[in-house]
Amino acid sequence: MFKRIIHTMKSELPNGKAEQFYNFMIEPTDEAYSNWLPEHHQFHIVKRCKNSPVGDLVFFDQHISPRFRLKSYAVVRVADRPREITVQVCKFGISVPVFVSLYFEDTPNGLILVEELRAGYKGIGTIFNPFFRLILTKRKLSDLTKHHNKEWKELEKILAQAK
């Protein structure tokens, strides 16, 4: 059986607050995004849905590493303030089975942030899942984890300064 890719990353951010992180990610602007990290280029809402933020179409462009760039559209599928944001990637105007979820949890020791990438089909569609392994290699997933560790610690600093 060809399993889906599920790649989970976790950060503990002592000064982070779920509400702040949620707000930052649900109302993206290119200016704030590019000021976050130099390798972040664009992140903004392209089209608002009447049920906004669920259904909003966003665009993002970032370098995960010098050799790995993510540039795509995505639709917000879940916006559960302040606990979860999930987006589904779109390519050529078609939603593909690639989801990125951010889970926020305030604890006495700060914010626990879990980022999860899920790629691939369930059921009969699993025959197409090896295609996702060609794109999301172990090296790219390792680069993604390194980027995750860097970017969320940096956002914690930015949001702490904004208080």
Side-chain angles (χ1 to χ4, degrees):
M1 192 55 85
F2 304 112
K3 292 183 179 181
R4 293 187 319 154
I5 295 169
I6 300 175
H7 184 71
T8 304
M9 300 153 284
K10 181 178 177 180
S11 289
E12 296 180 19
L13 305 160
N15 299 310
K17 298 286 184 225
E19 189 73 28
Q20 282 184 296
F21 274 67
Y22 178 93
N23 289 340
F24 186 90
M25 295 305 296
I26 210 69
E27 288 292 335
T29 66
D30 288 343
E31 181 182 6
Y33 192 65
S34 62
N35 287 334
W36 179 2
L37 284 176
E39 52 265 40
H40 286 178
H41 308 298
Q42 294 183 58
F43 182 38
H44 59 269
I45 297 170
V46 175
K47 181 180 175 187
R48 287 207 187 268
C49 181
K50 70 177 183 172
N51 298 322
S52 187
V54 174
D56 286 357
L57 179 66
V58 298
F59 176 77
F60 62 91
D61 179 8
Q62 64 179 323
H63 275 90
I64 301 301
S65 70
R67 62 188 169 275
F68 178 26
R69 185 174 186 168
L70 283 177
K71 186 176 183 178
S72 189
Y73 291 90
V75 176
V76 177
R77 296 294 184 202
V78 177
D80 181 9
R81 180 179 299 271
R83 291 180 292 275
E84 177 188 351
I85 300 169
T86 296
V87 299
Q88 182 177 13
V89 174
C90 299
K91 286 291 186 185
F92 311 111
I94 299 169
S95 295
V96 295
V98 177
F99 298 84
V100 177
S101 295
L102 299 173
Y103 302 101
F104 310 102
E105 181 184 351
D106 285 325
T107 70
N109 297 323
L111 175 68
I112 302 291
L113 184 142
V114 176
E115 182 175 6
E116 183 179 77
L117 169 69
R118 294 180 314 279
Y121 293 95
K122 295 179 184 178
I124 193 148
T126 59
I127 61 171
F128 297 106
N129 287 351
F131 172 74
F132 294 98
R133 285 269 175 224
L134 293 173
I135 296 169
L136 294 168
T137 63
K138 287 182 181 182
R139 184 177 188 175
K140 285 183 179 175
L141 293 176
S142 174
D143 288 347
L144 189 61
T145 299
K146 289 174 190 167
H147 184 77
H148 165 95
N149 292 333
K150 177 182 177 182
E151 75 179 336
W152 298 112
K153 284 179 178 35
E154 193 60 33
L155 183 57
E156 178 185 38
K157 292 177 197 171
I158 291 169
L159 293 177
Q161 292 171 355
K163 288 182 182 177

